Amino acid sequence: MAMNNDNILEVRDLRISFGTYAGEVQAVRGVSFDLRRRETLAIVGESGSGKSVTAKSLMRLLPEANTIFKGGEAIFDGRDLLKLSEKQMQRVRGPKIAMVFQDPMTSLDPTMKVGNQISESLRKHLGMSRAKARERSVELLKLVGIPNAEERVKQYPHQFSGGMRQRVVIAIALACEPQILIADEPTTALDVTIQAQILDLLRELQEKIGTSVILITHDLGVVASVADRIAVMYAGKIVEMGTVRETFYDPQMPYTWGLLASIPLPTADRSQDLIPIPGSPPDMSDPPKGCPFTARCPYAMRVCPTEFPEYTTFSAEHKAACWLHHPMAPNVEPPARVGGTR
């Protein structure tokens, strides 16, 4: 399969299930997207929508015991990541594709000094000497904004704050200057001020190193100033994709409207009520045949539960899967605080 030269990664029709005691859970159901060089693609959606499973499948980090690969491909560097052997994947993880996980305390070894944890990948993948790797570790801690790096490199993870630990994790991920960085909810465990600092850091590092970033989050609000494009995911499918401007100012899918309406407005007074999305995501051991958002959608029609809609294209970058865009559908306006047009 020939890749577009602008793309560094092309994912096509990815389908992944898990075998459980209750039966097969269909976590990812036909996901397709491209990641371009030097761009940040945000994948957003509620917990359980399949975001992290999609990301971990690219790194081949899903548990082998109960993961069922149903089909699809992920083309990187001319090869399908999903078909590489474990030995081949070990040469991809770290040097070419790296991942920043949600909780830095579970990502870092509490018994190892942070300098040794950074040096480990430098020595394994780049063949650096112990002294050179230590020197580079100090440089990386400085790069991610940790002060007094020469001393901090000798400390253990418990001696760092939550935000500083996440910076260490980012330093480890960037050690070999990978072509793709996958950040799986990197700010979830951090307070709002530190969240902003970590997102700013990711943007600055991307500009310096030229890495392509996949940012996974459940919060649309945190990606507004960081991402180039947004893929909205629900029940194992991408239901809307577009540039940040299109997604925020002209959303075309009721689930995206719900995510946007649930973000507190920065100018709102304290008496303002948040607008949650009613109901719960569907049971993925028996996913809906039609649009998975039907049961929670106030605009659902008779066709919605029976058949998944085709994508409607609004621009070169913007598409959404919703029956409201069928010529025979009623004209529905999004909520006032969301904006956009039908």
Side-chain angles (χ1 to χ4, degrees):
M1 174 182 172
M3 283 185 65
N4 183 322
N5 287 336
D6 291 336
N7 297 334
I8 193 168
L9 174 71
E10 294 184 355
V11 176
R12 294 287 176 268
D13 195 29
L14 182 65
R15 288 173 285 127
I16 294 171
S17 295
F18 294 105
T20 71
Y21 67 90
E24 180 183 328
V25 175
Q26 300 177 43
V28 177
R29 304 185 297 146
V31 164
S32 299
F33 64 88
D34 300 326
L35 177 67
R36 295 167 192 162
R37 299 179 192 280
R38 302 179 71 95
E39 87 159 340
T40 297
L41 172 68
I43 302 179
V44 302
E46 291 169 287
S47 297
S49 60
K51 309 180 302 296
S52 293
V53 173
T54 299
K56 289 180 180 177
S57 69
L58 301 178
M59 295 284 285
R60 298 276 295 279
L61 292 175
L62 296 173
E64 291 186 10
N66 67 334
T67 300
I68 307 167
F69 173 63
K70 306 284 284 190
E73 57 184 12
I75 306 299
F76 168 76
D77 211 9
R79 298 184 295 174
D80 185 354
L81 294 172
L82 306 176
K83 292 179 179 169
L84 297 184
S85 67
E86 176 57 26
K87 190 171 183 179
Q88 289 172 315
M89 277 304 300
Q90 287 177 9
R91 292 194 286 268
V92 172
R93 294 190 204 105
K96 296 187 176 181
I97 305 177
M99 193 162 185
V100 176
F101 293 95
Q102 189 169 349
D103 182 2
M105 273 311 277
T106 57
S107 307
L108 296 170
D109 186 335
T111 67
M112 285 178 69
K113 295 175 181 177
V114 297
N116 293 339
Q117 298 190 52
I118 301 172
S119 299
E120 194 172 38
S121 61
L122 293 169
R123 297 183 68 192
K124 177 179 179 180
H125 296 300
L126 303 183
M128 286 188 180
S129 65
R130 187 183 297 272
K132 185 66 178 174
R134 172 55 64 94
E135 183 183 323
R136 178 62 179 152
S137 298
V138 173
E139 291 174 3
L140 284 162
L141 288 184
K142 289 179 179 176
L143 182 69
V144 297
I146 293 181
N148 197 18
E150 291 83 357
E151 292 302 315
R152 300 287 264 171
V153 79
K154 304 170 190 173
Q155 295 181 334
Y156 292 91
H158 72 270
Q159 295 174 281
F160 289 74
S161 67
M164 287 297 176
R165 280 195 292 264
Q166 194 62 289
R167 289 171 186 263
V168 171
V169 172
I170 292 170
I172 294 171
L174 293 174
C176 300
E177 297 193 0
Q179 294 168 263
I180 297 174
L181 177 67
I182 301 173
D184 186 3
E185 305 213 26
T187 62
T188 298
L190 308 175
D191 63 56
V192 176
T193 306
I194 305 301
Q195 277 188 17
Q197 292 176 5
I198 294 296
L199 291 170
D200 287 342
L201 173 64
L202 285 174
R203 187 174 59 231
E204 290 168 13
L205 292 173
Q206 183 188 29
E207 290 173 1
K208 287 180 183 176
I209 299 173
T211 301
S212 300
V213 177
I214 297 176
L215 175 62
I216 294 169
T217 178
H218 61 271
D219 186 352
L220 256 177
V222 306
V223 303
S225 62
V226 181
D228 298 298
R229 289 186 300 142
I230 295 175
V232 180
M233 201 164 174
Y234 186 74
K237 289 179 174 287
I238 291 177
V239 294
E240 183 163 0
M241 178 175 277
T243 65
V244 169
R245 183 169 187 81
E246 288 167 332
T247 306
F248 275 86
Y249 293 102
D250 195 19
Q252 297 290 338
M253 206 278 175
Y255 180 60
T256 312
W257 299 350
L259 291 178
L260 289 167
S262 65
I263 301 173
L265 296 174
T267 56
D269 58 47
R270 294 185 180 181
S271 64
Q272 179 214 11
D273 291 330
L274 295 179
I275 306 174
I277 303 174
S280 301
D283 179 3
M284 298 311 291
S285 61
D286 184 22
K289 293 178 181 177
C291 174
F293 192 56
T294 301
R296 307 171 72 186
C297 181
Y299 315 102
M301 300 172 286
R302 279 187 295 177
V303 68
C304 296
T306 60
E307 191 174 343
F308 188 79
E310 296 288 331
Y311 287 102
T312 302
T313 302
F314 306 99
S315 75
E317 304 286 3
H318 194 191
K319 64 179 183 178
C322 182
W323 282 113
L324 287 176
H325 300 292
H326 191 277
M328 295 177 65
N331 187 32
V332 173
E333 296 295 329
R337 62 175 283 166
V338 172
T341 57
R342 226 288 273 123

